[in-house]
Amino acid sequence: MPLIPKSHPRIKSLLIREKLVKGFDNGLVAKEGLLAQGRGEAFDYLLGEKTGRAAMNAIKAAAAQLLLAKTPVISVNGNIAALCPRQIVRLSKQVKAKLEVNLFYADEKRKRAIIRILKKNGANKILGSSASSSRELSGIDSARRIVDKDGIFVADVVVVPLEDGDRTMALRNAGKTVITFDLNPLSRTSHTADITIVDNVTRSIDLLISDCGKLSEKTQKDLQKIVDNFDNRKNLRDNVMQIKNNLTRRAKIA
Ligand code: ATP
Ligand code: MG
């Protein structure tokens, strides 16, 4: 693979892309995952490739929601496993959330590769791999209706990074509180989730971990107040405004 010079103006974006390509070569990432990455990159460009104020607010609300959760689960797909396996494991330990591998394009080999990388990064137990533990969510056709009876099936709060709209809706219909990372503030997932972090997961996952640490001393009442004060619709509008303002600025100098 050609080496990317450190001085390249788009080094960060290129390194992320390389992780996905490597993940694809290693059997972690699906072809469709590469397309999702491309879609995400386009929105990241429009957002200015930085974590904005709206995303910061969503991260804080997500941290509070995770600390309040009784049975939280983090759903892991190929893109997340390729992009930030170490941080996902760290977050799961910090908020005592279970990890569940859940794939839109079900593939046992890919599932095993994802489990392997999570274990390599310190995960002890990963749900979603035993056929005898599988249960079905209703109202969804894809393989992702299959969830683990000890994981998402009984979870109160589910973190689903880079998720598809149908599945987010199925999780909501099943009564779950849904937290997602999605660079596209217009996607169905963004609009269906309870808390949408509109940011590149590679930037915001560390901020979420740090906020979980900062808020861990707060009372349940204070945490609930943070969650109650968060309005996902408004937050999405703020993100769209961030794109609009960026474009307005660029329209003046382009
Ligand atoms: P939806 O089904 O919600 O309408 P979609 O069909 O456009 O959205 P999916 O492939 O189902 O997209 O979901 C993947 C989502 O993940 C996309 O919205 C994409 O912008 C987002 N995404 C891709 N890479 C990243 C990343 N690194 N960080 C955050 N979000 C990302
Ligand atoms: Mg989709």
Side-chain angles (χ1 to χ4, degrees):
M1 196 177 287
L3 217 60
I4 305 165
K6 282 207 174 64
S7 59
H8 194 288
R10 303 207 40 75
I11 180 82
K12 277 193 189 152
S13 159
L14 292 179
L15 288 175
I16 295 172
R17 197 178 292 179
E18 207 172 77
K19 280 190 186 173
L20 263 294
V21 171
K22 211 169 136 212
F24 177 76
D25 289 341
N26 294 340
L28 284 176
V29 174
K31 283 201 266 327
E32 293 79 1
L34 296 177
L35 296 173
Q37 163 70 15
R39 203 146 57 249
E41 271 179 23
F43 279 98
D44 208 1
Y45 224 122
L46 296 174
L47 284 159
E49 294 177 311
K50 57 177 190 289
T51 308
R53 202 176 322 142
M56 294 286 203
N57 289 336
I59 290 167
K60 188 172 174 191
Q65 185 64 265
L66 277 170
L67 291 167
L68 283 169
K70 297 209 163 41
T71 49
V73 173
I74 303 171
S75 174
V76 183
N77 64 18
N79 283 42
I80 278 296
L83 287 171
C84 45
R86 190 174 50 81
Q87 290 98 320
I88 283 294
V89 174
R90 195 157 158 225
L91 178 66
S92 81
K93 289 188 175 165
Q94 192 176 25
V95 298
K96 296 188 178 56
K98 292 180 178 169
L99 290 168
E100 177 167 339
V101 178
N102 220 285
L103 307 179
F104 190 80
Y105 301 95
D107 172 337
E108 285 309 314
K109 214 169 140 206
R110 205 153 65 78
K111 206 181 251 186
R112 281 198 300 277
I114 293 172
I115 289 173
R116 228 176 5 252
I117 188 109
L118 290 175
K119 288 211 163 142
K120 213 171 123 189
N121 282 277
N124 304 318
K125 192 162 184 234
I126 298 135
L127 299 168
S129 60
S130 144
S132 62
S133 298
S134 64
R135 295 288 180 278
E136 287 188 15
L137 290 176
S138 55
I140 181 170
D141 288 334
S142 85
R144 276 202 281 189
R145 71 177 182 275
I146 310 287
V147 295
D148 196 297
K149 74 173 175 47
D150 301 315
I152 292 175
F153 196 68
V154 290
D156 56 352
V157 177
V158 190
V159 184
V160 282
L162 285 51
E163 188 53 86
D164 169 66
D166 290 345
R167 194 161 123 88
T168 309
M169 186 52 89
L171 290 168
R172 286 297 310 272
N173 288 343
K176 315 292 175 194
T177 297
V178 177
I179 298 171
T180 192
F181 294 84
D182 194 331
L183 276 161
N184 177 1
L186 309 175
S187 77
R188 290 174 309 144
T189 296
S190 284
H191 284 258
T192 310
D194 294 275
I195 301 175
T196 305
I197 299 168
V198 180
D199 192 20
N200 199 314
V201 70
T202 59
R203 283 192 299 268
S204 40
I205 188 87
D206 286 324
L207 299 171
L208 178 58
I209 292 170
S210 147
D211 270 11
C212 286
K214 277 191 216 152
L215 297 181
S216 62
E217 302 296 314
K218 295 258 182 207
T219 62
Q220 301 266 312
K221 203 170 148 217
D222 284 347
L223 293 172
Q224 193 61 54
K225 210 186 281 169
I226 295 172
V227 171
D228 291 345
N229 283 339
F230 181 78
D231 177 344
N232 206 44
R233 287 277 150 166
K234 179 183 176 304
N235 195 269
L236 291 172
R237 281 199 296 276
D238 290 346
N239 279 294
V240 173
M241 281 309 288
Q242 187 180 322
I243 291 178
K244 181 171 176 257
N245 292 339
N246 279 343
L247 289 175
T248 305
R249 204 165 39 243
R250 292 299 291 257
K252 285 183 187 143
I253 56 171

